[in-house]
Amino acid sequence: MATTLDTWEPALSVRQVLSLERVLAGEPEVVAGASQLDRQVRWVHVAEAADVGVMLSGGEMVLTTGVLLAGDEDKQAEYVWSLHRAEAAAVVLGLGRAFPAAPDVMRRAAERCGLPMVVLHRPFPFAELTEEVQSRLVRRKFAAVSLSEAVRTELTALITAGAPLQRLLDEVARHSGCPVVVTNLAHRVLGTAGERPAVDDVLRDWERIARQAWGHHPGRSGTGGGTEDDGWIRAELGGRGERWGRIVLCGYRGDTATGRLLADRAAEALVLHRMLGGTAACSWEEQSAQSLLTDLVSGVVPARQLLPRARAAGLPVNRRTFVPLVVRDGDTGRLDRLLRLLGLPGLVAELAVGATAVLLSLPRDQDAGALAAHFATRLRTESGAARTIVAAADPRVVWDDVPAGLREAQHVADAVADSAAALDIPLVVRLKDVHLRGLIRLLRDDPQVQSFAERELDGLLCETDEDLLSVLRTYLATGRNKSRTAQLHHVSRPALYRRLEAIQVRLGVDLDDFEQAASVHIALLAHDAQQQ
């Protein structure tokens, strides 16, 4: 999966070598293969023999004076073709006694096979060129080894400390100095890191990039502005013969080989992170969805800025109806599987303990209300929990309205959770269904409301009176239905009457009086809301 330091070699391009100060002193001129100057030079080799190719392993810049080739055009042509077959990077001919000018035979052969051919017009000690290039290559390899080990050490330390995926990606982005994207094999974005504006620029065009790029070679990109030469470098994620994702450096500005090495080290760390954490790749999808939905609900980031992330995460956003839902006591994995089973596009993420957000994205010609009800019905059937709460906000057709919808659904779910009213709730609960309970929950942190609740319920707010408080809660929630209250608490009616009398004495109220009962009910709703 990853490149090792034993097989990785540093390189300079032919163009970079020709721009070196020592080389410029020889007045170099490219006489053939000018379009191939970005070839990588792995080493510099001096050779005169016509069959030089047998001594090469590929990527060498070959230096020659041509002294053994002078006067024999067949040898000159064979010399060039031998370099081509050995995949040499370029040939540099020092003009002098053997060749006062570039020989036409060698120049034509180099042009035909696409081999860069350079002539030096001024006498030039080849030893200086080899020394300069070799020392630079050695320094680059040493720097690459140092970078590789530094990255490996830092990422391994983070994994050992239990750092989340995002922390690892942030570290990779710091080293690479460019946006970093992790995707699954379907090109769905699972995580990003880097400067936010730069990341957003990448995600904004992600559909085109994912569709066009990386179509053929597993370390190289295809068309669409995503080639390694442009700094788009990827490494595969997987193990034991199975691939499950990839990491992409988007627009890496440094040396391509170093960028590839960095991507490989990052891939190794991500695979190790998954193995040690026992974490499936889909959990990264859950983390991505959680980050996106949490940012939407919080309102810290404007919804418009989150649109590229939503699109890159696989959520359809063009001409859609968005249905914000919040499920109480719903398992995230089960909800995600149910969406897939029903063929409903959407994101699922836990917003808080016991509260999971589900954002559906539906075609505008579909009945959003009916599909939400169908989802809720299947959920209760699948989970076997008849009291599972599915709260919904009104459908939104504008993306900018989605955050308010998610907050509304969360408010509705919280308003009915852990309450007696949840004994008989609609299939899908909406804002109109929570009535007074919803208003009280919105006001629960108001000091005057808190003071009112404590004042009204003062006679019952102690641990020993919890049973009486429960009876009062059920009695008021059932509309002061004594028979229903006795049934729910499994007591006889006389026993219930005695408890109701004790409650009235403790509170100093008459529960048969509508206004006094309403005041106590409001105080109890406020008290319960403050406890959640």
Side-chain angles (χ1 to χ4, degrees), residues 213-281:
W214 317 307
H216 304 289
H217 193 283
R220 297 184 176 275
S221 345
T223 59
T227 66
E228 282 195 343
D229 290 339
D230 294 331
W232 287 74
I233 301 172
R234 77 172 184 177
E236 302 297 322
L237 303 176
R240 299 178 181 176
E242 179 184 3
R243 292 188 302 119
W244 43 266
R246 57 181 58 90
I247 182 170
V248 187
L249 307 186
C250 306
Y252 180 70
R253 300 291 185 183
D255 176 72
T256 299
T258 303
R260 196 179 302 130
L261 184 64
L262 179 57
D264 289 337
R265 291 296 167 265
E268 289 176 356
L270 296 186
V271 172
L272 180 62
H273 180 273
R274 179 191 182 193
M275 292 174 58
L276 293 183
T279 308

Side-chain angles (χ1 to χ4, degrees), residues 16-84:
Q16 288 173 316
V17 172
L18 296 181
S19 67
L20 296 177
E21 186 175 349
R22 287 189 180 184
V23 179
L24 290 175
E27 297 183 5
E29 178 189 359
V30 179
V31 297
S35 63
Q36 301 296 317
L37 295 183
D38 289 322
R39 283 186 175 185
Q40 300 296 295
V41 177
R42 187 182 56 81
W43 206 243
V44 178
H45 191 69
V46 179
E48 303 287 356
D51 59 348
V52 62
V54 299
M55 297 181 286
L56 307 180
S57 58
E60 293 90 350
M61 174 178 277
V62 177
L63 311 181
T64 181
T65 61
V67 66
L68 298 181
L69 306 175
D72 191 332
E73 292 188 347
D74 289 340
K75 284 185 177 181
Q76 294 170 23
E78 176 55 28
Y79 185 87
V80 172
W81 284 105
S82 178
L83 294 178
H84 170 64

Side-chain angles (χ1 to χ4, degrees), residues 18 23 36 67 70 87 212 300 347 363 367 391 437 461 488 505:
L18 296 181
V23 179
Q36 301 296 317
V67 66
E87 299 183 347
Q212 295 182 347
V300 174
L347 296 177
D367 188 334
R437 188 179 301 276
L461 296 181
L488 290 173
V505 170

Side-chain angles (χ1 to χ4, degrees), residues 14 18 28-37 39 61-62 64 69 76 79-80 83 89-95 99 101-111 113-120:
V14 175
L18 296 181
E29 178 189 359
V30 179
V31 297
S35 63
Q36 301 296 317
L37 295 183
R39 283 186 175 185
M61 174 178 277
V62 177
T64 181
L69 306 175
Q76 294 170 23
Y79 185 87
V80 172
L83 294 178
V91 58
V92 177
L93 175 65
L95 300 181
F99 291 103
D104 288 339
V105 172
M106 293 182 68
R107 182 182 56 78
R108 287 196 300 268
E111 192 65 49
C113 67
L115 176 71
M117 179 174 174
V118 182
V119 296
L120 300 175

Side-chain angles (χ1 to χ4, degrees), residues 490-512:
H490 307 289
V491 296
S492 64
R493 286 176 65 92
L496 175 65
Y497 293 156
R498 289 194 295 271
R499 296 184 186 184
L500 290 176
E501 183 177 354
I503 290 171
Q504 293 182 100
V505 170
R506 297 266 188 110
L507 298 181
V509 298
D510 179 4
L511 293 178
D512 290 329

